[in-house]
Amino acid sequence: MLKYVDRRGTNSVKWDNLIGTFGNPDLLAMWVADMDFEAPACIKDAMREYVDNVPFGYYLPREEYYEAFMAWEEARHGYKIERNWLCFAPTIVSAFYWITLMTTRPGDAVMMLTPVYYPMLKAATDNDRKLVTCDLVRDGDTYKIDFDEFENKIRENSVKLFILCSPHNPVGRVWTEAELARMMKICKMYGVLVISDEIHQEFIYNGHRHVPTATVGDYDKNLITLISASKAFNIAALQNAMVIIPDEELRARYKDFTKRIAVNGGNPFGYIAAEAALTGGSEWLADVNKQIWENYLCIKDTFARELPEVGVADLQGTYLLWLDFSAFLKTQKETEEFMEKDCGVAADYGAWFGGERFAPFVRLNLATSRENVETAAAVIIEAVRKRKNDENKDSAE
Ligand SMILES: Cc1ncc(COP(=O)(O)O)c(C=O)c1O
């Protein structure tokens, strides 16, 4: 059974750094993408066994760790990985920063589909690369890619690197095989290297299917896939990610890069937890997915009934819900005031994911208790009602 954990006072970024980011420690934390559930017993047991019995000297990862990733990818996603393709990174964010540094030069164009997980944008801007964004297009409750725009942007900017988020954080799209194949075909045609960040691949709902980008055709020469057990099993703090590089030359460059920055491995707990999760965590993960889906239905139905002007994006994948408040809010300042002052909720702001044009949107994290989700929906509805009443009073006066 899944157990909710009150993480306040546990040095959690999400709950204990509200003051640092929002200046208010009392907000309901629905931002940072991690979960508020007790860790799976298989992970705790494996870590306990190590803590109790082993001195903490330099650690050599077990072969079983690599085998666990390979078996998991093949069984769950049909992606057959060869052992020597697997390279280490402490986190997915470090991996896409390093690959950006390794494969592009200052001024080179790096493209993303926006709105997108903001550290991807920063991988370009922090490193003086030219950020090229291609906005997703609204399609009812979901989003699609404008492929003409996608290709034009690549051609016009001589894009060198495309960072793909699959499934897509924040709009919750699970890309279809046809969409992935079309993106990859265009990228290959223009010699664009693709990083496919598939960290959210275990959160897929309602008949959708995660298709690893690597399985849609022969793209070994221009594709690097990033996966990790950290999102699915809530072990982000343990810092362990997998960089899959089928192409020998690209892999040699990656290994040379990590050699020059002297990073050749991580801490034992990251390896131990990932292996334990991938070999014994499926049931726990199924419970988590059930809870997230029910949380989604709860908030979606509540808004549809009580406040249909709030746009609730279709949650095909991820546990991050994209809400559209453009019926009430326009600017980033208005959205911040509404969420923090009127609602008392800490959310990720739309503008963080690509600029002011996304300011009327917020991203809410659903990997928490039903009670937190219900509270978030209730305070938002109440705050909008109050706002409408105040406006009516003002216009009557
Ligand atoms: C798309 C995506 N990539 C990467 C990460 C972070 O991964 P890591 O902690 O391994 O850097 C997140 C976290 O929210 C994410 O949403």
Side-chain angles (χ1 to χ4, degrees):
M1 260 304 283
L2 210 52
K3 192 173 147 218
Y4 173 76
V5 177
D6 178 355
R7 296 170 65 203
R8 282 186 198 271
T10 65
N11 283 79
S12 137
V13 171
K14 188 198 221 165
W15 290 94
D16 295 321
N17 195 31
L18 289 164
I19 187 91
T21 302
F22 300 93
N24 178 354
D26 299 320
L27 301 176
L28 175 61
M30 306 285 283
W31 59 312
V32 178
D34 65 15
M35 312 202 235
D36 299 330
F37 307 126
E38 185 181 8
C42 61
I43 294 183
K44 294 208 281 190
D45 290 347
M47 288 174 73
R48 199 174 293 120
E49 161 82 18
Y50 189 80
V51 169
D52 286 348
N53 298 302
V54 185
F56 303 119
Y58 293 112
Y59 182 80
L60 179 70
R62 284 155 48 91
E63 253 330 281
E64 288 87 341
Y65 158 83
Y66 298 98
E67 285 160 12
F69 270 97
M70 290 157 64
W72 179 275
E73 281 299 306
E74 187 170 2
R76 287 185 69 115
H77 305 295
Y79 181 21
K80 215 167 159 24
I81 300 167
E82 289 180 20
R83 166 68 182 86
N84 65 339
W85 299 352
L86 299 175
C87 303
F88 172 80
T91 69
I92 299 274
V93 172
S94 19
F96 60 64
Y97 264 66
W98 293 348
I99 297 163
T100 303
L101 284 168
M102 169 189 119
T103 60
T104 63
R105 297 185 174 172
D108 281 350
V110 180
M111 190 168 93
M112 280 140 249
L113 296 169
T114 34
V116 79
Y117 178 57
Y118 36 89
M120 291 180 174
L121 305 167
K122 291 195 184 157
T125 55
D126 281 352
N127 291 306
D128 305 315
R129 271 55 176 175
K130 179 178 170 194
L131 173 64
V132 176
T133 58
C134 177
D135 280 359
L136 293 168
V137 179
R138 188 78 164 263
D139 181 20
D141 288 338
T142 185
Y143 288 81
K144 63 181 179 188
I145 299 165
D146 177 341
F147 281 101
D148 290 336
E149 164 119 342
F150 184 87
E151 183 169 348
N152 287 342
K153 290 244 163 143
I154 288 179
R155 197 185 42 242
E156 284 161 11
N157 297 284
S158 304
V159 166
K160 295 277 180 305
L161 175 67
F162 168 52
I163 309 182
L164 169 68
C165 191
S166 176
H168 195 95
N169 168 12
V171 300
R173 266 307 312 276
V174 173
W175 303 117
T176 64
E177 189 166 355
E179 287 171 315
L180 291 165
R182 205 160 160 195
M183 284 189 268
M184 290 309 294
K185 193 171 164 207
I186 295 170
C187 287
K188 190 173 182 176
M189 199 159 78
Y190 290 94
V192 177
L193 177 72
V194 180
I195 299 175
S196 184
D197 175 346
E198 303 184 15
I199 194 171
H200 291 278
Q201 65 178 350
E202 304 315 326
F203 302 101
I204 308 288
Y205 310 104
N206 207 22
H208 293 278
R209 182 172 72 93
H210 173 72
V211 179
T213 307
T215 63
V216 303
D218 178 14
Y219 296 111
D220 282 1
K221 289 241 164 295
N222 69 314
L223 176 65
I224 297 178
T225 301
L226 308 178
I227 56 172
S228 164
S230 76
K231 198 61 64 188
F233 296 97
N234 204 29
I235 49 177
L238 304 181
Q239 305 220 329
N240 185 284
M242 200 57 104
V243 183
I244 307 170
I245 315 180
D247 182 67
E248 203 177 328
E249 196 249 311
L250 265 180
R251 195 165 61 240
R253 282 169 73 192
Y254 183 82
K255 289 202 164 156
D256 182 57
F257 185 93
T258 52
K259 190 172 96 187
R260 278 183 284 124
I261 56 170
V263 175
N264 47 26
N267 71 82
F269 297 108
Y271 294 103
I272 290 166
E275 183 190 327
L278 297 175
T279 48
S282 301
E283 242 174 76
W284 182 90
L285 181 60
D287 287 347
V288 164
N289 268 312
K290 184 167 176 291
Q291 169 92 38
I292 292 165
W293 181 247
E294 288 172 5
N295 284 350
Y296 164 67
L297 291 180
C298 163
I299 199 162
K300 178 174 127 90
D301 293 347
T302 307
F303 280 127
R305 201 174 51 241
E306 311 275 340
L307 196 63
E309 301 99 311
V310 175
V312 180
D314 197 16
L315 192 75
Q316 301 180 355
T318 81
Y319 53 75
L320 306 162
L321 188 63
W322 188 239
L323 295 174
D324 176 2
F325 288 96
S326 54
F328 322 102
L329 306 168
K330 296 281 171 277
T331 64
Q332 165 75 356
K333 192 160 172 287
E334 279 174 2
T335 307
E336 284 178 11
E337 267 184 28
F338 175 73
M339 291 306 294
E340 294 166 42
K341 298 218 166 59
D342 300 357
C343 302
V345 173
D348 283 57
Y349 293 120
W352 295 353
F353 297 87
E356 185 73 20
R357 64 194 178 288
F358 304 116
F361 294 84
V362 303
R363 191 195 77 176
L364 280 194
N365 179 342
L366 299 178
T368 187
S369 65
R370 171 64 64 79
E371 193 187 338
N372 284 344
V373 170
E374 284 174 356
T375 303
V379 291
I380 289 170
I381 290 163
E382 179 60 28
V384 171
R385 288 204 176 128
K386 186 168 177 308
R387 193 175 254 257
K388 282 184 181 167
N389 277 344
D390 291 349
E391 277 167 15
N392 287 343
K393 254 193 246 154
D394 284 350
S395 57
E397 273 165 14

